[in-house]
Amino acid sequence: MSSAPPSPAPTRSVFARIMRFVLRAAVIFVVVSVLWVLAYRFVPPPVTATMLGDAFAGRGIDKDWMSIDRIDPDMPRTAIAAEDGNFCRHHGFDVTAIGRAIRNNATGHRLRGGSTISQQVAKNAFLWQGGGFFRKGLEAWFTVLIEATWPKRRIMELYLNIAETGIGTYGVNAGSQRYFHHDASKLSMAEASRIAAVLPLPKKRGAISPTGFTRRYGNNIAKRVPKMQRAGYYSCL
């Protein structure tokens, strides 16, 4: 009598265990990330991965949280003019800006990103610096979550408080004290525009007596603000 073929049960059992582990891990990730995002809607992030990187590199962490209600209104306006003109009009992703950045980079011009302020908050608050598809995928997930659960003013509030404004300096209030020796509630339009001009490259640009591109960029930002205000680009603030 011929022997029966071996049973595939052990193989199916291993596969089932792997799938259960993956499913469990996915559920845990979703629950933890949602609770994390909900927590930051109401409390300031105590520290971020970027801040820790500066601390470990010996650059220190200089930050001083300030409510968006106290920050001079020109600061969020200049940030939108500089970084994300459609901030009040999109839901986390600006498809037009992304397409423009891709075309610009493909033609060999100065590299530009297409990240919105919401995406930058997702990266700065919950993730780490650097690229890669895995990091970008997580960034997209957190962007969807914060847009779904936070009002736009809260997104802007976190952005203005955790974005780098200089080496080891985080937030516009700490940046204002570093560059202009007063807090962010007293920023002038020129000062707010200079800080906004520093945001894309905070480790390479300075807001005090800016020269070259940074000076021209800051002046252009200041000129955009009243035009954008008249056109309703700040309606969510």
Side-chain angles (χ1 to χ4, degrees):
M1 180 180 295
S2 60
S3 59
S7 171
T11 301
R12 288 200 299 268
S13 177
V14 171
F15 179 75
R17 287 199 296 271
I18 293 174
M19 290 305 298
R20 283 197 298 270
F21 173 80
V22 171
L23 181 60
R24 188 179 298 113
V27 170
I28 292 173
F29 169 75
V30 169
V31 171
V32 170
S33 60
V34 169
L35 291 176
W36 195 5
V37 169
L38 289 175
Y40 280 1
R41 176 174 178 175
F42 303 103
V43 299
V47 72
T48 68
T50 308
M51 293 177 189
L52 291 175
D54 268 342
F56 291 142
R59 292 187 285 264
I61 303 173
D62 181 14
K63 62 187 181 75
D64 189 4
W65 181 278
M66 177 176 278
S67 165
I68 192 171
D69 295 327
R70 292 190 57 215
I71 295 172
D72 187 274
D74 283 332
M75 190 65 249
R77 292 169 188 157
T78 57
I80 289 175
E83 293 288 282
D84 184 5
N86 290 316
F87 174 71
C88 290
R89 303 184 175 190
H90 63 63
H91 298 288
F93 306 94
D94 189 338
V95 177
T96 302
I98 293 172
R100 187 165 55 244
I102 292 173
R103 290 192 299 272
N104 188 79
N105 297 342
T107 56
H109 292 87
R110 186 174 63 87
L111 293 179
R112 296 179 61 87
S115 294
T116 63
I117 284 175
S118 301
Q119 288 175 272
Q120 293 181 52
V121 169
K123 176 184 66 177
N124 292 337
F126 302 101
L127 302 170
W128 59 92
Q129 302 298 316
F133 289 112
F134 178 69
R135 209 298 315 277
K136 294 297 289 185
L138 291 177
E139 179 185 299
W141 165 249
F142 280 104
T143 300
V144 170
L145 286 183
I146 65 175
E147 281 280 346
T149 58
W150 298 359
K152 285 286 191 176
R153 276 179 64 84
R154 180 58 175 173
I155 296 174
M156 177 58 70
E157 185 172 51
L158 256 74
Y159 179 70
L160 296 178
N161 276 285
I162 65 176
E164 286 184 90
T165 50
I167 297 175
T169 306
Y170 292 87
V172 299
N173 192 31
S176 178
Q177 294 174 44
R178 170 178 176 167
Y179 296 124
F180 309 119
H181 309 294
H182 58 71
D183 69 36
S185 68
K186 301 174 183 177
L187 284 168
S188 67
M189 172 63 79
E191 291 169 343
S193 298
R194 290 179 183 180
I195 292 178
V198 167
L199 289 171
L201 291 170
K203 286 184 169 62
K204 295 182 179 180
R205 299 176 182 172
I208 301 176
S209 300
T211 59
F213 173 79
T214 304
R215 184 181 187 86
R216 294 193 301 274
Y217 188 33
N219 291 339
N220 288 336
I221 292 168
K223 292 177 183 177
R224 288 181 212 164
V225 170
K227 298 177 183 178
M228 294 180 68
Q229 191 165 8
R230 288 193 297 270
Y233 281 87
Y234 304 132
S235 59
C236 63
L237 299 178

